[in-house]
Amino acid sequence: MSETARSRAAALPHLRRGRLAKGDPIPVPLTMAAIFHTPGDAAGFDEYGRYDNPTWRAVEHMLAHLEDAPCVGFPSGMAAISAVFFGLLKAGDRILLPADGYHATRALADRFLKPFDIAYDVRPTSSFLDGGFDGYRLAFVETPANPGLDICDIAAVAEAAHKAGALLAVDNTTMTPFGQRPLDFGADIVIAADTKAPNGHSDVLFGHVASRNADIIAAVSGWREMSGAIPGPFEAWLVHRGLETLDVRFDRMCSSAEVIARRLQGHPAISGLRFPGLDGDPSHNLARAQMERFGFLISFVLDSEDKAEDFINNCALMQAATSFGGVHSSAERRAKRSDAVAPGFVRLSVGCEPVEELWQAIEASLDRLA
Ligand SMILES: Cc1ncc(COP(=O)(O)O)c(C=O)c1O
């Protein structure tokens, strides 16, 4: 981790310190309130739970610290993506999405933007620059993309998009702000599903939008207030707690993923191994240039759907589950989710288990299938 990322991590648990009065609780209080005491003029005060909430502000403060940009919290990653689309786009706009990214983003555009005369095109993440950005209002990338783990050059895409008059939004869910900070490479908007590693305990959905552009922040927070797509205070409180250990968990998960990916190389039961940290991986050189770590996601292909299910379901230290980024390792056969991948394609999310024990469980489950 770079020195600046380390100093961000060090300051994170102390962000509230400067504002504490004697006798205040050190942990952030959970404020469950739909209404606030506001006799007379309410300007400058909390008034109504759809407008703002002290627990949201606490978690947004942490996220803003990590992103080095103002942040707006949402009840899920998809709610954050929706806020960007519905807060910023208008009829007649055209947007560009990753062909190989999270499937619900394309489904959202297809089912709910198209009827409002907002068109979308898709392009593979690894060649996202090809074809330029003329005519687009928004380019949206996911890097590394879920689930194929291809990467695109954020700085180059930002430059080309801006030249063409387009905004660049990056879904940074697979990396977290400790792994990559797209705004530092010129992106206009970062979106993340904090449902994953930032919360980390698989008990909450949450999302955020970060931007250094005040108009963008005003647009997405206006969307949140008017649409009512607001996070619950308890969910915000849990994400606040999760963020306090993100650095430690992310470090363990990324380090373990490096070990496991290296050992998976050449295993006779698998093919198509992808992990940006492997020397020969198509994403490796770019990953070294723009990512702080190589992440905790690994993908590979088993011969058949049955073998993939067998590997996942019979690995003693693996949860068979969708999503990723939890303390427990988990895996999913992504063809189940209509991703354009082989039937035996597995996305594996490395968790916080001690790496040797985890490797032994993975190896034992794979060896039976070789
Ligand atoms: C890359 C990516 N973006 C966004 C989302 C949506 O997040 P949520 O499920 O919190 O709405 C996901 C969920 O898996 C994801 O993988």
Side-chain angles (χ1 to χ4, degrees):
M1 199 196 277
S2 68
E3 202 182 321
T4 48
R6 280 204 311 276
S7 79
R8 267 195 301 278
L12 193 68
H14 302 288
L15 288 183
R16 282 169 41 75
R17 189 168 171 263
R19 279 176 283 145
L20 291 179
K22 195 165 179 177
D24 278 354
I26 303 266
V28 68
L30 166 57
T31 305
M32 299 292 290
I35 51 173
F36 296 81
H37 180 62
T38 46
D41 185 3
F45 292 89
D46 284 324
E47 187 181 13
Y48 188 51
R50 185 159 44 77
Y51 305 162
D52 212 343
N53 171 287
T55 317
W56 299 355
R57 281 199 296 279
V59 74
E60 286 169 348
H61 187 198
M62 289 179 105
L63 289 164
H65 169 78
L66 294 180
E67 301 281 16
D68 196 12
C71 269
V72 184
F74 289 93
S76 67
M78 287 313 298
I81 293 171
S82 301
V84 168
F85 288 173
F86 292 100
L88 293 172
L89 300 175
K90 57 180 187 340
D93 283 344
R94 195 171 194 91
I95 66 169
L96 187 58
L97 300 175
D100 47 346
Y102 185 51
H103 61 91
T105 306
R106 291 186 300 278
L108 175 67
D110 198 62
R111 291 176 54 190
F112 296 103
L113 294 184
K114 255 187 3 197
F116 286 99
D117 192 26
I118 296 166
Y120 77 97
D121 297 312
V122 299
R123 212 178 259 179
T125 298
S126 61
S127 54
F128 208 79
L129 271 170
D130 297 356
F133 301 97
D134 284 346
Y136 290 108
R137 164 83 179 120
L138 178 79
F140 183 109
V141 298
E142 217 179 277
T143 176
N146 167 27
L149 305 181
D150 273 336
I151 282 181
C152 67
D153 182 335
I154 299 171
V157 172
E159 194 186 339
H162 291 161
K163 268 195 192 132
L167 293 169
L168 174 62
V170 179
D171 182 333
N172 201 36
T173 298
T174 55
M175 284 316 288
T176 87
F178 281 122
Q180 173 175 270
R181 294 211 315 173
L183 298 178
D184 293 349
F185 294 103
D188 302 283
I189 302 163
V190 162
I191 294 154
D194 300 303
T195 310
K196 319 293 179 188
N199 175 60
H201 297 77
S202 308
D203 47 11
V204 151
L205 280 90
F206 201 82
H208 76 266
V209 173
S211 178
R212 294 174 186 159
N213 176 325
D215 293 340
I216 291 173
I217 290 294
V220 296
S221 51
W223 167 260
R224 179 175 74 177
E225 185 176 315
M226 294 301 150
S227 68
I230 55 164
F234 183 50
E235 282 73 9
W237 185 84
L238 283 170
V239 173
H240 189 283
R241 166 177 286 212
L243 285 170
E244 289 181 328
T245 55
L246 174 59
D247 165 40
V248 182
R249 289 182 285 105
F250 187 68
D251 184 43
R252 163 72 74 98
M253 288 153 67
C254 293
S255 298
S256 297
E258 287 180 31
V259 172
I260 287 166
R262 270 199 304 277
R263 293 183 188 174
L264 282 171
Q265 277 179 309
H267 193 286
I270 67 167
S271 61
L273 175 67
R274 292 296 308 269
F275 177 67
L278 292 174
D279 276 348
D281 190 274
S283 297
H284 187 60
N285 290 340
L286 207 42
R288 289 189 80 87
Q290 75 184 13
M291 287 152 57
E292 292 259 358
R293 300 296 302 263
F294 297 118
F296 51 82
L297 293 177
I298 298 173
S299 67
F300 51 80
V301 181
L302 285 139
D303 281 352
S304 65
E305 173 178 334
D306 286 350
K307 282 193 175 177
E309 290 289 344
D310 190 330
F311 160 67
I312 296 168
N313 299 333
N314 293 302
C315 177
L317 298 184
M318 194 66 56
Q319 296 292 340
T322 195
S323 198
F324 52 84
V327 289
H328 24 249
S329 291
S330 64
E332 184 173 43
R333 203 175 57 74
R334 286 302 292 182
K336 264 163 72 169
R337 304 279 157 201
S338 71
D339 283 341
V341 291
F345 178 101
V346 172
R347 183 193 64 204
L348 195 159
S349 173
V350 175
C352 291
E353 302 87 350
V355 67
E356 289 307 329
E357 282 69 13
L358 180 58
W359 168 248
Q360 281 162 24
I362 291 173
E363 189 181 35
S365 194
L366 282 177
D367 283 353
R368 295 173 309 109
L369 305 170

